[in-house]
């Protein structure tokens, strides 16, 4: 009797498998009883786990613990940041406009607490990098702005020039928010170096639990108005009883974030091996954003004549989990707004597949997927595959 091969998981940008240290911390937390807002011993033990995790996340980001606000995930963190009212060190700040890039995550594209008429879109170039000249133009056109830009794109992995963007926003007197969800664990996360006022993080992208995120402030003196009110949790910045177990798991990963960064060199090697193998199998393959600086684990590619919708189904049936883009847009395969903003032809964009590697990925996984992809592409478009002589 033959044993079926384990599924091949290459969708870490959607969610990463739970890391052992996170699992251990969460199970230990689940053994405790107590509301972290309670003053008795059980409550204080729960509060201790929350504050230890807060310290770990703050240290990983180079800020003070009070600057970390735990949320239900990155979508809530983004919405919390996209506020028309901030409390600044010298008094209230009221940004009049929201400037976002054309390749942002849907939770930023929705505008948070800004109305549609207040939102302007910053154009990107053919590789998905923000056009700094267009940002300069938008910053000069009106009153104070809040600028929200992702550190690295979830679909293509393209990294934005955050320090340059932050310097421009600072010179204009605006506020700067960075969606650092995909960068965490793969790149150094440094809100102060970026001159960012706040960054959003998500636990499940780095091997923590789903349903847990954080908004990290560069300084606790400058913060957006609360989104959820009715309690004093998170220093009155996010009401609601904290998810102690998920927070403990997030903290466990944050304490070892340097090890996560150390994985990047191996992930880059695996990505390069994959892309070399892809071009050997399908010479017509296009890797989006390959001329730009990208995350080491992400490859978004298309093979003309191999539709993503059919390819995803075929890969899934063969035991491989890959993606056509943002998991938050799952349910149907449409044209990516990211690729559209980059000027990619719609026909080619409909063939886009994303593979994203992570801490569980091995060289054997890459080889296995290349073999599998060759079979899928050959069946869907035989002319696209370079067959050995």
């Amino acid at each position: 009797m033959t044993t079926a091969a384990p599924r091949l998981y290459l969708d870490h940008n959607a969610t990463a498998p739970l890391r052992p240290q996170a699992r251990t911390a969460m199970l230990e937390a689940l053994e405790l009883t107590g509301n972290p807002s309670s003053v008795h011993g059980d409550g204080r033990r729960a509060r201790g786990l929350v504050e230890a995790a807060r310290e770990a996340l703050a240290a990983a980001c180079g800020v003070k613990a009070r600057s970390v606000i735990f949320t239900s995930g990155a979508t809530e963190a983004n919405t919390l940041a996209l506020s028309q009212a901030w409390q600044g060190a010298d008094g209230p700040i009221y940004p009049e406009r929201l400037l976002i890039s054309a390749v942002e995550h849907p939770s930023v594209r929705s505008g948070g607490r800004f109305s549609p008429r207040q939102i302007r879109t910053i154009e990107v170039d053919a590789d998905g990098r923000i056009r700094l000249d267009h940002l300069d133009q938008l910053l000069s056109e009106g009153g104070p702005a809040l600028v929200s830009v992702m550190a690295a794109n979830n679909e293509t992995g393209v990294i934005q020039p955050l320090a340059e963007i932050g310097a421009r926003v600072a010179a204009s007197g605006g506020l700067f928010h960075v969606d650092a969800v995909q960068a965490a664990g793969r790149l150094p996360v440094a809100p102060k170096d970026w001159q960012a006022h706040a960054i959003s993080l998500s636990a499940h992208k780095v091997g923590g639990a789903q349903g847990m995120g954080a908004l990290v402030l560069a300084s606790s003196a400058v913060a957006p108005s609360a989104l959820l009110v009715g309690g004093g949790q998170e220093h009155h910045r996010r009401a609601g009883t904290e998810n102690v177990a998920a927070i403990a798991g997030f903290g466990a990963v944050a304490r070892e974030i340097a090890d996560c960064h150390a994985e990047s060199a191996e992930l880059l090697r695996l990505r390069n091996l994959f892309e070399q193998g892809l071009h050997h199998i399908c010479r017509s393959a296009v890797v989006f954003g390959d001329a730009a600086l990208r995350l080491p684990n992400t490859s978004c590619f298309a093979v003309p004549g191999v539709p993503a919708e059919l390819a995803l189904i075929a890969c899934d049936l063969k035991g491989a989990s890959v993606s056509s883009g943002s998991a938050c847009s799952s349910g149907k395969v449409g044209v990516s707004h990211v690729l559209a903003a980059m000027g990619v032809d719609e026909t080619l964009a409909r063939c886009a597949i994303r593979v994203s590697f992570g801490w569980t990925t091995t060289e054997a996984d890459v080889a296995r997927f290349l073999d599998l992809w060759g079979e899928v592409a050959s069946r869907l478009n035989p002319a696209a595959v370079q067959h050995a002589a």
Side-chain angles (χ1 to χ4, degrees):
M1 180 177 177
T2 58
T3 302
R7 284 193 65 86
L8 185 57
Y9 188 78
L10 300 177
D11 201 16
H12 282 248
N13 283 12
T15 198
L18 193 67
R19 290 181 184 265
Q21 62 267 41
R23 182 188 301 274
T24 298
M26 291 172 66
L27 290 174
E28 291 176 353
L30 288 170
E31 291 297 322
L32 299 181
T33 300
N35 188 311
S37 294
S38 298
V39 297
H40 50 60
D42 291 306
R44 292 197 303 274
R45 279 190 287 274
R47 170 57 55 191
L49 292 182
V50 171
E51 296 310 316
R54 197 187 311 278
E55 290 277 0
L57 202 60
C61 297
V63 301
K64 293 182 178 180
R66 192 179 175 88
S67 298
V68 176
I69 306 169
F70 288 116
T71 67
S72 65
T75 292
E76 184 190 328
N78 285 341
T79 305
L80 174 59
L82 303 187
S83 172
Q84 293 179 265
W86 287 59
Q87 181 59 47
D90 300 318
I93 304 171
Y94 300 106
E96 299 174 4
R97 301 173 298 145
L98 174 64
L99 309 184
I100 64 173
S101 86
V103 295
E104 292 304 307
H105 186 272
S107 63
V108 170
R109 281 163 57 85
S110 67
R113 291 178 274 179
F114 285 80
S115 67
R117 64 180 177 79
Q118 294 175 294
I119 303 171
R120 296 293 303 276
T121 301
I122 313 163
E123 297 173 358
V124 298
D125 64 20
D127 284 306
R129 293 170 296 199
I130 277 185
R131 282 186 46 202
L132 295 175
D133 61 329
H134 192 228
L135 172 61
D136 289 337
Q137 176 188 329
L138 293 177
L139 287 172
S140 70
E141 285 181 352
L146 169 62
V147 178
S148 182
V149 172
M150 55 173 39
N153 190 263
N154 50 308
E155 296 186 28
T156 64
V158 170
I159 298 168
Q160 297 294 348
L162 296 178
E164 295 176 70
I165 296 169
R168 284 167 159 80
V169 177
S172 74
L175 295 169
F176 186 31
H177 164 252
V178 175
D179 177 346
V181 166
Q182 296 296 343
R186 298 161 189 159
L187 303 171
V189 173
K192 293 182 178 178
D193 291 347
W194 300 335
Q195 298 190 57
H197 293 85
I199 66 170
S200 298
L201 300 174
S202 176
H204 76 104
K205 306 295 188 179
V206 291
Q210 295 175 348
M212 173 50 50
L215 185 69
V216 179
L217 309 174
S219 167
S220 60
V222 180
S225 62
L227 177 64
L228 297 182
V229 297
Q233 295 89 350
E234 300 303 296
H235 303 294
H236 295 274
R237 290 170 174 165
R238 198 272 186 184
T241 302
E242 294 93 342
N243 185 343
V244 178
I247 288 173
F250 201 2
V253 176
R255 276 187 282 275
E256 301 182 27
I257 201 73
D259 293 336
C260 299
H261 290 153
E263 296 169 358
S264 294
E266 174 62 6
L267 293 175
L268 179 60
R269 185 182 74 85
L270 295 178
R271 190 198 73 190
N272 290 343
L273 278 176
F274 167 72
E275 291 181 355
Q276 290 165 10
L278 173 67
H279 287 298
H280 178 74
I281 296 168
C282 303
R283 291 184 178 176
S284 61
V286 176
V287 175
F288 300 109
D290 62 346
L293 190 64
R294 290 181 289 154
L295 290 175
N297 77 313
T298 305
S299 182
C300 182
F301 69 95
V303 175
V306 180
E309 189 166 15
L310 297 179
L312 286 177
I313 295 171
C315 288
D316 190 38
L317 291 174
K318 288 180 173 292
S321 296
V322 294
S323 173
S324 64
S326 171
C328 299
S329 300
S330 61
K332 64 178 181 178
V333 177
V335 177
S336 160
H337 74 277
V338 173
L339 299 183
M342 293 164 61
V344 176
D345 177 77
E346 182 176 336
T347 301
L348 182 62
R350 289 188 179 278
C351 298
I353 297 289
R354 181 191 70 189
V355 295
S356 48
F357 307 138
W359 71 273
T360 61
T361 310
T362 66
E363 188 170 333
D365 292 335
V366 174
R368 180 180 161 197
F369 181 71
L370 285 170
D371 287 341
L372 181 156
W373 177 257
E375 295 173 10
V376 169
S378 181
R379 188 167 77 233
L380 294 177
N381 182 11
V385 177
Q386 176 71 18
H387 297 281

